Amino acid sequence: MINTKILTFRDIRDPERSDFFGHLTPIECGQEIPFDVHRIYYIYGVDQAARRGYHSHRDLEQVLICLSGSVKILVKTPEKEEIVLLDSPSKGLYIGPMIWREMFEFSEHATLLVLASRHYDESDYLRDYQQYEAEAKEYFHK
Ligand code: T46
């Protein structure tokens, strides 16, 4: 879908003994992440019935990684929507500008890590769907 992408990170492990030594996943800006990271936050302890998000960003780019457990992400434009299941720490979801997102079905112990291209700025958020729809139609058809 436009302005979104599933990213697959390296999973460095000993295939013979990964149960014992575990996994290592490196992430570098300019390689796996297509922007410089200026902010990191994580979301955890979310009830399975909760649904978060309900907004878009005008400019912000982010990569979402579910470090433990799983979570579903609805990504949506006025024309299209998709649900992405994040259930592995070696998988990421890039979300660029003007994509509506909702996060739901957080599993028990789910921890969602987010790498963001800019510092927190409430004026970059579009939290009203009708306002989002109007700006997104202009953005995607310009
Ligand atoms: C997004 C999804 C995936 C801050 O003070 N600093 C921050 O860096 C962030 C992200 C939030 N906040 C404050 C703003 C609100 O008062 O924390 C409160 C909860 O934020 P919000 O309701 O926006 O949380 P989510 O889970 O709906 O959305 C968050 C991000 O805000 C958003 O950018 O794409 O996660």
Side-chain angles (χ1 to χ4, degrees):
M1 173 151 143
I2 195 161
N3 279 12
T4 67
K5 191 174 180 198
I6 304 285
L7 308 174
T8 305
F9 307 126
R10 275 196 295 157
D11 174 4
I12 302 174
R13 68 196 162 97
D14 178 343
E16 307 281 312
R17 305 197 68 199
S18 62
D19 283 352
F20 187 66
F21 284 115
H23 304 247
L24 186 153
T25 292
I27 297 181
E28 299 194 18
C29 296
Q31 295 195 23
E32 289 83 2
I33 305 295
F35 52 79
D36 286 341
V37 176
H38 286 96
R39 179 166 50 106
I40 296 171
Y41 60 92
Y42 32 93
I43 297 170
Y44 57 96
V46 182
D47 190 281
Q48 278 196 306
R51 201 166 172 111
R52 303 184 60 118
Y54 295 102
H55 59 255
S56 169
H57 286 278
R58 291 191 174 93
D59 292 315
L60 189 71
E61 297 175 89
Q62 302 193 104
V63 170
L64 282 59
I65 305 163
C66 192
L67 292 182
S68 64
S70 64
V71 59
K72 287 182 182 166
I73 317 289
L74 170 79
V75 281
K76 180 172 162 63
T77 65
E79 277 82 36
K80 202 173 168 197
E81 66 179 61
E82 263 177 40
I83 291 173
V84 177
L85 172 67
L86 292 180
D87 58 354
S88 160
S90 60
K91 186 155 119 186
L93 173 63
Y94 167 83
I95 307 182
M98 297 308 281
I99 300 293
W100 187 264
R101 82 282 322 261
E102 294 169 21
M103 300 90 78
F104 62 104
E105 286 185 24
F106 284 81
S107 71
E108 204 182 353
H109 306 308
T111 300
L112 182 64
L113 175 74
V114 183
L115 311 177
S117 64
R118 291 172 49 175
H119 290 175
Y120 176 71
D121 174 10
E122 186 59 36
S123 70
D124 186 61
Y125 283 74
L126 287 162
R127 293 190 185 270
D128 175 78
Y129 188 77
Q130 282 177 344
Q131 174 71 26
Y132 160 72
E133 200 173 34
E135 290 194 27
K137 280 184 176 157
E138 197 174 323
Y139 175 88
F140 288 114
H141 296 291
K142 68 188 171 199

